[in-house]
Amino acid sequence: MPAATPRVRWVLAAATSVALVASGCGSSGGGGSSSSDATKTFSYQSSEPQNPLQPANANEVGGGRIIQNLFRGLVDYNPSNAEIRMQVAESIDTSDAQNFTVTLKTGWTFHDGTPVLAKNFVDAWNWAATTTNNQINSSWFSDIQGYKDVHPENGAPTTTKMSGLVVVDDTHFTIKLNNKVSYFEYKLGYPAFSPLPDSFYSDPAGFGQKPIGNGPYQFVSWDHNSQVVTKAYADYKGVDPAKNGGIVFKMYTTAEAAYADLQSNNLDVMDQVPPSALATYKTDLGDRAIDAPQGAIQNIGFTLYQPEWAGADKAKVRQGLSMAIDRNTITTTVLQGSRKPATAWVAEGVQGYDAAACGDVCKFDPAKAKQLITEGGGVPGGSIKITYNADGGHKEWVDAVCNSIRQATGVECAGDPKTDFKTARAAITGHTINGAFRTGWVQDYPLNVNFLADVYRTGAASNDFGYSSPQFDQLANQADQAATLQDTITGYQQAEKVLAQDVPAIPLWYYRTNSGYSTNVQNVEFDSFGNPAWTQVEVKG
């Protein structure tokens, strides 16, 4: 999921058990010593959602983190170890990784009191996949048989129902995929696969402003560019009922303002502390400081949909720009050692991570950088701008990256700040920028597939670059149909090598969660997705 500050999760019933190495969480050692009040809310640093709050219409953290608390799908991830766990699903059975039978638990209800039934999943997925509904995550359903009928490459859909989805009865439905997909269960935890109540279809736009979910938290209000208020849902049937009264997602225009509020107890939990506080936040916050592993990466993407960047020779220019960035110095100084230089397009700790994937392209070499840029015909226009969101604490490192490029190659480089994350994302997805842009990715599921197929495959929901490589797509498709999960992972490692040739995005560094919380809360732990264990946060009485 594209991330605001580096972003909308899952026992396998009949398939494979996998050891997940990206499964750390961090907290202070002092939580839990004070009494708590389960009726009180806590506040969290957020950003204005890019789109209405519809489950298939958020692939950034501003909307995604809200949606993942308002809704629950078939499965999600245990925040303590990142293992798949059942939520609405009682079981998901398959013998061939292509045909699946889903059995639902009984007793689940939406926040309007209506039951969560098999048709609520099937109808929601069909609606999300259909072209005319313009859902940003529609491609997540492309594995399902009949997707191309509801989402054709050209022209209008011939139907609004995928043939691969069949409701058997209220608690059972079947899924048939186009081909075997060994990791399909992992994908089912993504918020786009959430169910929708019957009332959604009469007014999808209105629903997006006042969503009705089935998750641990119920929507209360949305004051745009200020906050989204939720409350705990008393009849929630999931395995993770809330230990607090709700979450207030507070929108901030700068990370510095959020940090100031945290220090004065006007904000309870941060997303990430700003770079300006990295050197001091552990001293400032003491045992309330968070330093935890996170399956996330920071990149610089390119506008390959523009003719001047699309030529084969410009791959050399992008390689050269990557080799002009002194990652070691920037992560050590500007980022205070809180990040680790990236050597791949997959985050460290994720299954399938190949530390050598980027090779020389991620090594600082000013002479080679200058040579490659010259061989590639130079940077289009003679200079480059890096678009970023000004509310995310990115200015310092963007300026440092530009200084490194300028000093190493003589190419002029400057940051192009947009007011907030929503504005930056709108410019990126709307293709209204030129050259380069900051883009982060936080795992949606802890496999290299998520960092590769869901970002670099032609037409993928988060392929903001316009990147299209027949070679990458062929290797990815072969990997998807592999007999085992391990074969799939290995296949995607081969696909990743294509990115080292084309460099649609420059890997910069891997994230950690550097955060903290106020004196108002306790039992605050972060998972490898960069999220707090929302329902486990306790508000002191």
Side-chain angles (χ1 to χ4, degrees):
M1 180 180 293
T5 51
R7 252 67 297 234
V8 258
R9 285 208 214 263
W10 348 39
V11 119
L12 296 180
T16 304
S17 176
V18 183
L20 303 178
V21 296
S23 61
C25 62
S27 71
S28 76
S33 60
S34 300
S35 62
S36 61
D37 185 341
T39 67
K40 289 185 176 181
T41 63
F42 72 94
S43 57
Y44 182 80
Q45 176 198 359
S46 188
S47 57
E48 176 74 0
Q50 181 185 4
N51 297 312
L53 295 173
Q54 301 159 324
N57 212 18
N59 70 350
E60 39 73 41
V61 294
R65 283 175 173 157
I66 297 170
I67 286 170
Q68 71 176 239
N69 282 291
L70 298 178
F71 292 85
R72 278 294 181 269
L74 298 173
V75 298
D76 72 351
Y77 279 126
N78 187 324
S80 66
N81 57 21
E83 291 180 352
I84 293 174
R85 64 183 179 185
M86 294 292 162
Q87 285 284 12
V88 185
E90 180 70 38
S91 63
I92 303 172
D93 298 307
T94 183
S95 60
D96 61 2
Q98 183 174 4
N99 295 277
F100 299 81
T101 298
V102 178
T103 302
L104 304 183
K105 296 173 183 174
T106 58
W108 277 76
T109 59
F110 290 103
H111 300 152
D112 61 2
T114 59
V116 179
L117 305 176
K119 70 181 181 67
N120 296 112
F121 282 95
V122 170
D123 291 349
W125 297 4
N126 278 322
W127 189 90
T130 300
T131 305
T132 49
N133 295 320
N134 298 313
Q135 297 294 283
I136 199 168
N137 286 322
S138 58
S139 67
W140 279 78
F141 302 93
S142 61
D143 295 319
I144 300 173
Q145 189 177 82
Y147 173 78
K148 289 185 177 180
D149 296 325
V150 303
H151 201 105
E153 293 183 5
N154 299 293
T158 58
T159 179
T160 58
K161 295 182 179 180
M162 291 182 282
S163 59
L165 296 177
V166 177
V167 175
V168 178
D169 55 37
D170 284 351
T171 58
H172 296 85
F173 69 97
T174 60
I175 308 167
K176 184 173 184 177
L177 307 183
N178 296 308
N179 305 285
K180 293 182 179 181
V181 180
S182 62
Y183 58 94
F184 185 68
E185 292 95 335
Y186 280 84
K187 299 181 70 172
L188 289 175
Y190 190 62
F193 290 94
S194 299
L196 291 169
D198 293 344
S199 60
F200 168 85
Y201 304 97
S202 62
D203 185 11
F207 181 98
Q209 300 301 314
K210 297 180 179 180
I212 298 169
N214 67 319
Y217 296 100
Q218 183 174 355
F219 176 84
V220 175
S221 63
W222 184 359
D223 183 3
H224 286 276
N225 299 301
S226 177
Q227 63 182 22
V228 170
V229 179
T230 71
K231 65 179 181 181
Y233 180 49
D235 292 329
Y236 176 64
K237 300 301 182 183
V239 299
D240 54 339
K243 294 181 179 180
N244 51 69
I247 309 168
V248 178
F249 294 88
K250 297 178 68 174
M251 317 305 177
Y252 285 90
T253 56
T254 69
E256 288 77 12
Y259 188 61
D261 269 6
L262 184 78
Q263 290 179 292
S264 59
N265 286 328
N266 291 317
L267 173 69
D268 292 319
V269 183
M270 282 208 75
D271 179 17
Q272 290 272 12
V273 300
S276 58
L278 285 171
T280 62
Y281 86 102
K282 291 182 180 180
T283 301
D284 295 342
L285 301 177
D287 63 2
R288 293 181 288 111
I290 298 284
D291 184 358
Q294 184 179 140
I297 189 171
Q298 184 79 267
N299 301 319
I300 293 174
F302 292 93
T303 55
L304 304 186
Y305 47 81
Q306 294 181 308
E308 56 266 39
W309 280 102
D313 56 335
K314 296 309 172 191
K316 284 190 174 183
V317 174
R318 296 190 293 273
Q319 290 173 357
L321 290 171
S322 177
M323 298 179 76
I325 300 170
D326 188 352
R327 295 165 178 78
N328 288 325
T329 296
I330 295 171
T331 54
T332 301
T333 57
V334 177
L335 297 172
Q336 297 292 321
S338 64
R339 308 287 185 263
K340 182 177 179 180
T343 60
W345 284 265
V346 175
E348 187 178 40
V350 173
Q351 281 197 92
Y353 168 68
D354 178 1
C358 194
D360 290 342
V361 172
C362 285
K363 295 177 181 178
F364 181 53
D365 187 337
K368 185 66 174 179
K370 202 169 194 177
Q371 175 190 335
L372 286 168
I373 291 172
T374 300
E375 290 177 357
V379 171
S383 63
I384 190 168
K385 287 185 176 181
I386 302 175
T387 298
Y388 67 95
N389 54 302
D391 61 343
H394 302 296
K395 182 181 187 301
E396 292 88 347
W397 72 254
V398 170
D399 288 348
V401 165
C402 276
N403 287 336
S404 185
I405 290 173
R406 189 182 305 110
Q407 292 172 11
T409 67
V411 172
E412 284 300 314
C413 178
D416 175 29
K418 302 300 181 184
T419 305
D420 52 31
F421 186 58
K422 178 182 180 179
T423 303
R425 287 297 302 164
I428 291 167
T429 58
H431 292 180
T432 61
I433 61 174
N434 296 305
F437 54 92
R438 181 206 79 81
T439 178
W441 189 261
V442 182
Q443 63 187 13
D444 296 309
Y445 50 96
L447 299 178
N448 64 346
V449 181
N450 180 230
F451 287 79
L452 301 172
D454 297 317
V455 183
Y456 300 104
R457 194 199 300 265
T458 300
S462 295
N463 185 341
D464 297 324
F465 326 102
Y467 176 61
S468 180
S469 165
Q471 183 183 8
F472 179 91
D473 291 348
Q474 180 182 9
L475 290 168
N477 291 338
Q478 290 173 352
D480 282 349
Q481 298 172 44
T484 68
L485 181 61
Q486 185 55 56
D487 287 342
T488 294
I489 291 169
T490 301
Y492 270 98
Q493 288 175 331
Q494 296 302 311
E496 189 177 9
K497 296 182 187 303
V498 179
L499 301 183
Q501 302 168 18
D502 298 342
V503 194
I506 294 173
L508 293 177
W509 38 78
Y510 308 125
Y511 265 83
R512 291 184 66 82
T513 298
N514 301 108
S515 180
Y517 54 95
S518 75
T519 60
N520 299 325
V521 293
Q522 59 190 9
N523 198 37
V524 180
E525 298 185 346
F526 278 72
D527 61 21
S528 61
F529 297 87
N531 299 321
W534 309 96
T535 60
Q536 304 309 298
V537 174
E538 298 175 358
V539 184
K540 294 181 180 179

